[in-house]
């Protein structure tokens, strides 16, 4: 196990290095820079050049690259170009907890609802409950996130006036964003759960359990679920990484101060340090999440052995 | 067993219905506001309503240090937090003394002496001094600070030279003679200097806090001089501003709390306004605004800016003034504004927008005094095009129009395209670019026609006309006129308003005859305010000011 972890650790560092390098040069290859005008031209060129000089953008790209690597080795992601008094570390440290909080609730909701729907439809195969959950799941997978969020905002906030529209200041503020985030994953988990459950229920040991007179709920929740859940755990890695780091659409529509939006606005602003910093953070997060899933896998499924 | 499953399903249903059930029993947000209502203060005529306004901006301000700020959105916040020597008055049109008591101007028209009001204080109660202004203005110009706003202070003697390391800080024409006397020397007489003083770059910051790292990030170190002060700073979520009791005119400020929340999506902002969660809103899509256009909530105020299109005068066929003019007078601006932009703005038949007073008849607008400098006429356009050698558009080279990749720009471009096809028989290709690369395309001259726009900084025709001077058009229109440049240069040196206005009108006439640009519409700022919110001010640059606002 220890050897495996060490191996994974070095592989991760290499991955991060490649990720940073590619992002750095791609980002600079895109035309336009952080101080290029966006809406109207206002700042004279000579003044703009002075600002670029201050941020070291006049240096050759290779020098900038080495400087960035040096500072990131010390954990310093630099200042945002757009909001010159905010560091990227600050941006992440205050935005990530917000995104993560909403994301965590969404993960829990997605898991509970998705699994229950999946199990129900597997057990009630061919009955109305199965049809209903699978129609819901198909709809959930097909309708894009931005349609659902805007529709919900309109329905619950404007028409029914039940829920608030922006921010996260009370539990009521969480409802719409959580549904918006969880909707797709619920559908996906439900379908995954259904097919995996159906497969497990056909296995001999289930037949044995039933023959022994084990109550059906125990057959399902104790014997079948344990094996049926494995594909869900696999899906959990990317899901956790995606939901905890925030969603551009949901955060934008519900004005949530998370980091999901920063990525996209960072790119359109050419805010180099924000783009790189968030890429590094997201990259690390996905690597760690996948690693945890791999370890979990071994714990849940004894048939999987981690190679020493 | 079936029963148990039923229970599971029932539980599931319950989970989903709990959310709906609880929320419906909760109070609507309008109710919440009532719940938080504070008791009316016993100051006699204080109104009973809670003096709190929630206002939304699309994003957090980029820059909270006025000496570094060049952003429009940040200016809105800063204009509520800071005051300088002068401010724009309650009408939103003219400058009046703020922290200064007044000024004296010497015979040359270049040396101002400002007396700073003895009662002017920072939000921590310390007096605002002339030294504070000297420090701040030199900070803006300091080449090491590399402020993007430096060019706003190039009017000051040696301002530009110091910023470009050609002069020393001591040479800059700003000097604190004593605690309350500020001497300012300008490069040229600048009749709109008082208006310039209302730009955030001229606002003071205090040396002892600015020299601490990150002074703009905490309400404790964020000292202001204006009607409000910052009391809570929740990045990307909201800024809470409270009335500044040390503000010079604090007795006139009725609002206790101004909460600025950040709502990026225009749909969400419309929902929040309709829902009563915000009381003042100006980031709403044209479709959303349309719903409110006939209600008392709707306001539209001229801003000193204009949308126009550049013609590339270095490229055929637009090197010929006749072609430029033909293109410009063969479109229907009214239709574009009403049907495409869906606003109540005015079509532009001149280059100086509404909102700028005439220099002589101060109570009248320059635009009304001068009138339209050209008009639309399809027949005339056809004739001009034929004279230029392209009858009915025949033989005209391929034309490319570039616009930014926003929906409204694309829609306008398509409308123009079909108007030219219909009226002149000319085909125009449209290319769209992302905003960050768009200006490079213009700079490199890869266009025949390009969408452009400009909002001035001070209400004098100069702010809208100097962008077409030869020194400024090399990167876009590629057009220049020696006579035009001369008229503007003369206006920089004189202070006789009658002569100045005459020169501006002549300069505008040159633009209309030569038509290096095609004016489309004069900008107006549209905003919504709940009927019980009074006194919200949009000034001529589009800043929303709450100094005079209150809730009824």
């Amino acid at each position: 196990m220890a050897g495996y972890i060490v191996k994974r650790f070095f592989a991760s560092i290499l991955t991060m290095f490649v990720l940073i390098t590619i992002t750095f040069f791609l980002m600079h290859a895109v035309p336009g820079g952080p101080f290029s005008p966006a809406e109207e031209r206002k700042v004279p060129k000579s003044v703009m050049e002075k600002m670029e000089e201050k941020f070291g953008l006049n240096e050759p790209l290779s020098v900038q690259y080495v400087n960035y690597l040096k500072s990131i080795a010390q954990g310093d992601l630099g200042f945002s170009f757009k909001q010159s008094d905010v560091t990227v570390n600050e941006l992440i440290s205050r935005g990530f907890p917000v995104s993560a909080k909403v994301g965590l609730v969404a993960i829990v909701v997605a898991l509970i609802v998705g699994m229950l729907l999946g199990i129900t439809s597997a057990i009630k195969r061919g009955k109305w409950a199965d049809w209903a959950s699978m129609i819901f799941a198909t709809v959930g997978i097909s309708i894009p996130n931005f349609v659902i969020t805007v529709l919900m905002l309109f329905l619950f906030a404007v028409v029914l006036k039940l829920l608030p529209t922006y921010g996260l200041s009370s539990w009521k503020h969480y409802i719409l964003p959580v549904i918006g985030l969880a909707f797709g994953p619920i559908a996906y988990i439900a379908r995954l759960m259904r097919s995996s459950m159906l497969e497990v229920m056909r296995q001999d040991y289930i037949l044995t359990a039933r023959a022994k007179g084990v109550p059906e709920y125990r057959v399902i929740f104790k014997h079948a679920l344990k094996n049926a859940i494995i594909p869900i755990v696999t899906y959990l890695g990317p899901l956790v990484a995606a939901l905890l780091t925030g969603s551009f659409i949901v955060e934008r529509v519900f004005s949530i101060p998370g980091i999901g939006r920063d990525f996209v606005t960072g790119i359109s602003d050419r805010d180099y340090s924000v783009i790189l910093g968030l890429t590094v953070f997201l990259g690390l997060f996905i690597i760690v999440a996948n690693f945890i899933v791999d370890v979990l896998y071994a714990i849940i499924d004894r048939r999987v052995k981690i190679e020493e | 067993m079936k029963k148990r499953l039923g229970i599971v399903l029932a539980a599931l249903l319950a989970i989903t219905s709990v959310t709906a059930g609880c929320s419906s029993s909760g109070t609507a947000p309008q109710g919440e506001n009532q719940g938080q209502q504070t008791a009316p203060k016993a100051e006699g005529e204080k109104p009973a309503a809670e003096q709190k306004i929630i206002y939304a901006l699309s994003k957090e301000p980029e820059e909270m240090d006025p000496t570094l700020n060049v952003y429009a959105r940040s200016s809105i916040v800063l204009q509520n937090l800071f005051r300088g020597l002068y401010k724009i008055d309650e009408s939103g049109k003219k400058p009046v003394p703020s922290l200064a008591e007044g000024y004296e101007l010497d015979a040359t028209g270049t040396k101002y002496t400002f007396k700073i009001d003895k009662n002017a204080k920072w939000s921590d109660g310390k007096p605002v001094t002339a030294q504070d202004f000297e420090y701040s203005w030199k900070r803006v110009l300091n080449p090491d600070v590399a402020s993007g706003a430096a060019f706003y202070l190039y009017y000051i003697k040696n301002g530009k030279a110091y910023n470009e390391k050609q002069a020393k800080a001591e040479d800059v024409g700003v000097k604190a003679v004593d605690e309350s006397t500020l001497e300012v020397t300008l490069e040229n007489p600048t009749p709109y200097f008082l208006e310039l003083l209302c730009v955030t770059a001229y606002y003071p910051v205090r040396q002892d806090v600015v020299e601490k790292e990150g002074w703009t990030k905490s309400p404790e170190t964020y000292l202001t001089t204006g009607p409000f002060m910052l009391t809570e700073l929740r990045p990307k979520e909201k800024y809470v501003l409270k009335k500044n009791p040390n503000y010079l005119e604090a007795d006139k400020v009725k609002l206790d709390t101004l909460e600025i929340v950040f709502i990026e999506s225009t749909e969400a902002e419309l929902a929040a306004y309709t829902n009563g969660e915000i009381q003042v809103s100006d980031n709403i899509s044209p479709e959303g605004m349309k719903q409110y256009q006939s209600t008392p909530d709707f306001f539209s105020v001229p801003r000193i800016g204009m949308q126009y299109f550049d013609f590339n005068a270095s490229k055929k066929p637009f090197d010929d003034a006749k072609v430029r003019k033909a293109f410009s007078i063969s479109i229907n601006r009214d239709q574009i504004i009403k049907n495409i932009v869906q606003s109540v703005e005015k079509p532009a038949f001149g280059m100086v927008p509404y909102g700028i007073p005439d220099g002589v008849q101060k109570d009248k607008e320059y635009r009304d005094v001068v009138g339209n400098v050209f008009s639309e006429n399809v027949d005339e356009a056809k004739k001009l095009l034929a004279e230029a050698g392209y009858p009915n558009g025949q033989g005209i080279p391929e034309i490319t129009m570039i616009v930014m990749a926003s929906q409204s720009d694309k829609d306008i471009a398509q409308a123009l395209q079909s108007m030219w096809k219909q009226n002149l028989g000319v085909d125009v290709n449209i290319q769209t670019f992302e905003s960050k690369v768009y200006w490079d395309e213009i700079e490199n001259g890869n266009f025949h026609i390009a969408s452009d726009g400009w909002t001035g900084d001070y209400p004098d025709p100069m702010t809208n006309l100097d962008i077409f001077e030869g020194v400024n058009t090399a990167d876009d229109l590629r057009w220049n006129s020696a006579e035009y440049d001369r008229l503007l240069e003369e206006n920089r040196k004189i202070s006789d308003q009658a002569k100045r206005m005459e020169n501006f009108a002549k300069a505008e006439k040159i633009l209309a005859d030569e038509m290096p640009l095609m004016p489309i519409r004069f900008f107006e700022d549209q905003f919504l305010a709940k009927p019980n919110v009074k006194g919200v001010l949009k000034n001529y640059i589009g800043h929303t000011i709450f100094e005079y606002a209150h809730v009824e």
Side-chain angles (χ1 to χ4, degrees):
Chain A
M1 190 78 172
Y4 174 77
I5 292 174
V6 170
K7 222 159 78 186
R8 281 289 290 252
F9 178 75
F10 283 108
S12 304
I13 288 185
L14 188 70
T15 313
M16 287 308 297
F17 176 73
V18 173
L19 182 70
I20 293 170
T21 309
I22 292 176
T23 313
F24 185 89
F25 288 102
L26 269 182
M27 177 178 86
H28 280 277
V30 177
F35 301 116
S36 314
E39 284 135 32
E40 287 182 355
R41 276 168 303 181
K42 200 127 220 184
V43 180
K45 245 192 175 151
S46 62
V47 177
M48 222 169 84
E49 278 160 9
K50 232 166 280 142
M51 290 165 78
E52 288 182 347
E53 198 181 305
K54 187 180 165 189
F55 280 92
L57 286 173
N58 55 341
E59 306 262 10
L61 213 52
S62 53
V63 176
Q64 291 184 45
Y65 175 65
V66 173
N67 286 344
Y68 189 77
L69 284 185
K70 270 187 209 156
S71 70
I72 202 169
Q74 296 158 2
D76 177 10
L77 300 172
F79 276 94
S80 157
F81 286 93
K82 185 91 189 192
Q83 271 186 285
S84 61
D85 58 348
V86 180
T87 66
V88 180
N89 296 54
E90 275 178 307
L91 212 67
I92 293 173
S93 67
R94 65 195 184 203
F96 174 65
V98 178
S99 293
K101 221 161 41 180
V102 186
L104 200 67
V105 181
I107 291 168
V108 172
V109 169
L111 274 179
I112 295 176
V113 178
M115 280 168 60
L116 283 178
L117 279 179
I119 295 169
T120 313
S121 79
I123 297 166
K124 297 280 175 185
R125 194 178 174 196
K127 304 263 173 57
W128 68 267
D130 182 23
W131 283 107
S133 349
M134 281 309 108
I135 286 173
F136 173 79
T138 313
V139 168
I141 286 181
S142 344
I143 301 184
N145 190 308
F146 61 88
V147 175
I148 290 179
T149 48
V150 174
L151 270 179
M152 283 196 314
L153 178 76
F154 183 70
L155 180 68
F156 290 103
V158 180
V159 178
L160 300 175
K161 294 195 186 300
L162 293 176
L163 296 172
T165 54
Y166 71 88
L168 280 180
S169 37
S170 79
W171 64 268
K172 270 196 275 175
H173 290 81
Y174 279 79
I175 296 171
L176 292 180
V178 164
I179 298 177
L181 281 176
F183 209 76
I186 287 178
Y188 193 81
I189 292 172
R191 292 176 67 95
L192 212 60
M193 194 69 211
R194 178 179 184 267
S195 55
S196 131
M197 197 74 184
L198 282 177
E199 204 182 301
V200 172
M201 292 297 273
R202 273 199 297 268
Q203 309 238 336
D204 289 345
Y205 78 96
I206 299 290
L207 201 69
T208 315
R210 280 185 178 149
K212 274 169 44 184
V214 178
E216 186 69 11
Y217 75 92
R218 287 199 61 185
V219 173
I220 294 165
F221 288 101
K222 187 146 185 278
H223 299 275
L225 193 61
K226 220 170 134 186
N227 281 326
I229 209 167
I230 292 169
I232 310 272
V233 174
T234 316
Y235 173 58
L236 213 56
L239 177 74
V240 167
L243 288 191
L244 290 193
T245 51
S247 140
F248 171 66
I249 291 159
V250 171
E251 290 188 1
R252 189 174 188 276
V253 171
F254 298 108
S255 313
I256 296 168
I259 53 168
R261 274 189 287 168
D262 291 339
F263 222 139
V264 181
T265 49
I267 292 170
S268 57
D269 287 341
R270 304 286 190 277
D271 199 333
Y272 294 144
S273 44
V274 171
I275 302 175
L276 265 179
L278 287 179
T279 308
V280 168
F281 180 72
L282 204 71
L284 258 181
F285 206 86
I286 291 172
I287 288 172
V288 172
N290 279 333
F291 174 71
I292 292 174
V293 166
D294 282 354
V295 173
L296 265 185
Y297 225 63
I299 295 170
I300 295 174
D301 190 346
R302 299 274 157 76
R303 288 170 299 187
V304 177
K305 280 274 176 294
I306 286 176
E307 297 289 325
E308 280 286 325
Chain B
M1 255 149 267
K2 279 192 175 168
K3 247 182 205 163
R4 284 187 195 276
L5 217 111
I7 290 168
V8 172
L9 272 177
L12 195 85
L13 264 172
I15 291 172
T16 46
S17 60
V18 155
T19 55
C22 287
S23 50
S24 62
S25 66
T27 47
Q30 287 100 322
E32 275 176 14
N33 278 347
Q34 307 247 305
Q36 291 166 2
Q37 215 173 66
T38 49
K41 285 178 190 143
E43 280 175 34
E45 55 170 342
K46 267 257 168 170
E50 190 199 6
Q51 291 303 317
K52 176 182 173 183
I53 292 177
I54 305 178
Y55 165 68
L57 282 179
S58 62
K59 280 183 202 160
E60 196 176 349
E62 303 88 339
E63 185 55 71
M64 286 293 280
D65 182 339
T67 57
L68 303 178
N69 173 48
V70 285
Y71 299 99
R73 184 169 58 241
S74 308
S75 294
I76 296 180
V77 180
L78 294 172
Q79 288 287 8
N80 285 294
L81 288 165
F82 287 88
R83 284 289 169 263
L85 296 172
Y86 271 66
K87 67 169 183 181
I88 298 165
D89 74 341
E90 213 169 330
S91 74
K93 291 192 172 126
K94 61 170 200 289
V96 290
S98 182
L99 303 188
E101 282 172 343
Y103 69 94
E104 275 171 31
L105 184 58
D106 77 345
T108 64
T110 56
K111 193 170 163 195
Y112 284 81
T113 309
F114 293 96
K115 273 279 168 208
I116 289 162
D117 198 305
K118 292 256 182 327
N119 296 316
K121 290 190 186 103
W122 291 94
S123 48
D124 68 350
K126 286 194 183 151
V128 176
T129 63
Q131 283 83 0
D132 290 330
F133 280 96
E134 184 183 341
Y135 165 75
S136 308
W137 293 10
K138 284 184 177 168
R139 173 177 157 80
V140 179
L141 291 166
N142 186 341
D144 297 329
V145 173
S147 167
F151 67 97
Y152 283 116
L153 274 73
Y154 283 0
Y155 298 88
I156 295 168
K157 189 147 197 77
N158 286 323
K160 191 172 183 199
Y162 172 46
N163 189 234
E164 287 172 353
K165 296 186 184 169
Q166 308 291 321
K168 291 196 194 96
E170 305 89 80
D171 306 332
V172 177
V174 53
K175 196 162 175 275
V177 179
D178 57 52
E179 290 267 293
S180 63
T181 315
L182 187 72
E183 255 178 35
V184 182
T185 318
L186 305 182
E187 289 279 354
N188 291 304
T190 311
Y192 46 89
F193 186 61
L194 296 180
E195 282 88 347
L196 270 173
L197 290 175
C198 308
V199 173
T200 56
Y202 282 91
Y203 288 177
V205 293
R206 210 166 77 191
Q207 188 168 7
D208 59 327
V209 289
V210 171
E211 282 172 357
K212 286 176 201 147
E213 182 79 14
W215 72 283
T216 55
K217 285 193 271 190
S218 135
E220 284 76 47
T221 51
Y222 197 75
L223 297 182
T224 66
T225 57
F228 298 98
M229 54 189 193
L230 196 62
T231 54
E232 199 185 337
L233 203 150
R234 311 238 305 249
K236 281 164 71 186
E237 197 182 337
K238 66 177 178 186
Y239 287 3
V240 180
L241 278 61
K242 294 266 185 208
K243 179 178 167 171
N244 172 7
N246 287 308
Y247 175 49
L248 189 58
E249 295 174 79
D251 53 330
K252 290 187 196 146
V253 178
K254 293 181 191 148
L255 208 60
D256 292 322
T257 310
L258 172 63
E259 213 172 284
I260 302 178
V261 300
F262 310 120
I263 301 180
E264 199 176 336
S265 109
T266 54
E267 299 86 19
E269 181 156 336
L270 178 65
Y273 182 80
T274 308
N275 215 354
E277 287 171 80
I278 58 175
Q279 285 82 45
V280 179
S281 167
D282 53 13
N283 179 36
I284 287 182
S285 62
E287 294 81 12
M289 276 293 178
K290 215 162 172 137
Q291 294 178 25
Y292 280 97
Q293 257 174 30
S294 53
T295 67
D297 299 37
F298 180 80
F299 297 89
S300 191
V301 183
R303 163 153 54 116
I304 52 170
M306 171 175 78
Q307 182 186 28
Y308 59 93
F309 280 74
D310 300 329
F311 289 124
N312 186 343
S314 72
K315 269 192 178 176
K316 267 192 172 323
F318 294 105
D319 53 346
D320 186 343
K322 284 183 178 143
V323 178
R324 298 196 293 259
K325 195 152 187 184
F327 270 69
S328 177
I329 63 174
S330 60
I331 60 167
N332 187 337
R333 291 169 175 77
D334 251 335
Q335 217 174 59
I336 291 174
I337 295 168
K338 289 214 175 76
N339 301 332
I340 313 290
V341 189
Q342 302 198 355
S343 80
V344 296
E345 290 162 298
K346 293 191 181 72
F349 296 107
M351 289 74 184
V352 176
Y354 288 93
I356 293 183
D358 187 71
V360 184
Q361 309 172 53
K362 295 263 186 206
D363 51 338
K364 281 197 181 149
E365 303 233 357
Y366 170 90
R367 188 76 273 147
D368 289 329
V369 172
V370 173
N372 291 346
V373 292
F374 69 95
S375 56
E376 288 164 359
N377 185 336
V378 176
D379 294 331
E380 170 78 14
K382 281 182 177 154
K383 223 176 81 195
L384 282 168
L385 200 62
E387 278 172 28
Y390 312 109
N392 296 317
Q394 280 158 12
I396 203 160
E398 199 178 305
I399 295 169
T400 304
M401 170 163 53
I402 62 169
V403 294
M404 266 191 255
S406 77
Q407 195 56 47
S408 83
D409 271 24
K410 280 192 271 190
D411 291 345
I412 294 173
Q414 276 165 8
L416 289 172
Q417 185 186 39
S418 79
M419 285 170 185
W420 285 323
K421 176 77 191 160
Q422 202 182 343
N423 298 339
L424 299 178
V426 177
D427 286 305
V428 173
N429 301 320
I430 300 175
Q431 272 182 27
T432 57
F433 291 93
E434 188 210 359
S435 62
K436 280 281 182 181
V437 293
Y438 181 75
W439 303 104
D440 287 342
E441 289 296 311
I442 293 190
E443 211 178 299
N444 298 332
N446 300 330
F447 71 100
H448 290 97
I449 307 171
S451 167
D452 208 332
W454 179 258
T455 298
D457 297 310
Y458 48 89
D460 184 270
M462 184 66 89
T463 191
N464 298 91
L465 293 178
D466 67 359
I467 54 172
F468 306 119
E469 272 181 295
V471 286
N472 294 328
T473 52
D475 289 341
D476 41 50
L477 313 167
R478 289 156 170 86
W479 167 91
N480 66 70
S481 146
E483 176 61 9
Y484 185 86
D485 293 358
R486 191 195 63 76
L487 288 165
L488 259 59
E489 199 47 43
E490 186 182 346
N491 271 5
R492 284 213 179 82
K493 304 214 163 92
I494 58 174
S495 29
D496 171 10
Q497 286 290 17
K499 180 75 183 151
R500 288 184 82 240
M501 293 303 130
E502 197 189 310
N503 284 347
F504 283 138
K506 274 189 201 159
E508 234 191 334
K509 188 79 179 54
I510 293 175
L511 289 179
D513 289 340
E514 292 265 318
M515 208 66 86
L517 69 142
M518 175 174 75
I520 299 287
R521 60 179 168 131
F522 293 129
F523 289 134
E524 286 195 15
D525 282 303
Q526 315 194 330
F527 71 97
L528 304 176
K530 294 284 175 196
N532 65 334
V533 172
K534 305 283 183 206
V536 176
L537 170 70
K538 271 273 181 194
N539 68 12
Y540 50 74
I541 318 176
H543 301 146
T544 320
I545 296 182
F546 292 90
E547 179 173 357
Y548 317 105
H550 69 277
V551 184
E552 272 182 359

